[in-house]
Amino acid sequence: MQIRNHIQSKPRTQSAFTLVEMILVMVIIAALAAVVVPKFAGRSKQAKVTAAESQISNIEIGLNAFEVDNGYFPKGGSGLADLVEQPSAATGWMGPYLPKGIPLDPWGNEYIYVYPGKRNVGIYDLSSMGPDGKAGTEDDVGNWIDNSRR
């Protein structure tokens, strides 16, 4: 007696996404992107502002150390360069005060150093022109600005 296994095969059906399902998925993805993308877009600007504030603080440390060693803040056209290379008049120079050099701001521009300061009378003004690259606008980041309001 032979036992035969008969496998009954079902007709194969093709399964695929319908056009309506594909459109529905695309609508859901677009809705999620519309909610998520704006939240992260503002983070990039804020991260650069925070980086500029941090760099300004580090440069201020160098400027203050220079002043302690020499009795004055860097003057003239050389400005921040005096933190990296000893000026001839600086007899107490113990630098370099910025060992990695003078950084550019997060937008690729040089920091603006003014001594004596116009906003910080008696010391110096140190600022970045901010994202627009124009000095004197409201997006500037400087050592005289209360950045906690940003």
Side-chain angles (χ1 to χ4, degrees):
M1 183 165 161
Q2 287 185 345
I3 300 176
R4 292 189 177 175
N5 290 332
H6 292 287
I7 300 174
Q8 294 181 357
S9 61
K10 295 182 181 178
R12 289 188 178 185
T13 59
Q14 293 184 353
S15 61
F17 293 111
T18 65
L19 181 60
V20 173
E21 291 171 328
M22 292 295 285
I23 291 173
L24 182 62
V25 168
M26 290 175 64
V27 167
I28 291 170
I29 291 172
L32 288 173
V35 171
V36 173
V37 169
K39 290 187 180 199
F40 287 112
R43 289 294 195 189
S44 176
K45 180 183 176 191
Q46 183 59 40
K48 286 185 178 186
V49 168
T50 302
E53 292 168 352
S54 176
Q55 286 178 330
I56 287 172
S57 293
N58 290 337
I59 295 170
E60 284 184 307
I61 291 169
L63 286 165
N64 293 333
F66 180 97
E67 194 273 334
V68 167
D69 291 345
N70 297 288
Y72 65 92
F73 288 107
K75 304 173 186 171
S78 58
L80 296 178
D82 290 353
L83 299 178
V84 180
E85 296 179 19
Q86 183 175 2
S88 58
T91 56
W93 198 81
M94 302 290 285
Y97 299 96
L98 297 174
K100 295 182 180 179
I102 304 164
L104 295 176
D105 72 9
W107 300 276
N109 301 309
E110 293 182 2
Y111 283 97
I112 300 170
Y113 171 72
V114 177
Y115 179 79
K118 295 176 183 174
R119 294 186 184 216
N120 294 320
V121 179
I123 57 169
Y124 54 86
D125 295 342
L126 182 61
S127 64
S128 162
M129 295 183 284
D132 70 359
K134 297 176 185 173
T137 58
E138 73 176 49
D139 70 341
D140 291 2
V141 180
N143 65 336
W144 64 87
I145 298 171
D146 180 12
N147 291 315
S148 64
R149 290 183 275 160
R150 289 189 183 270

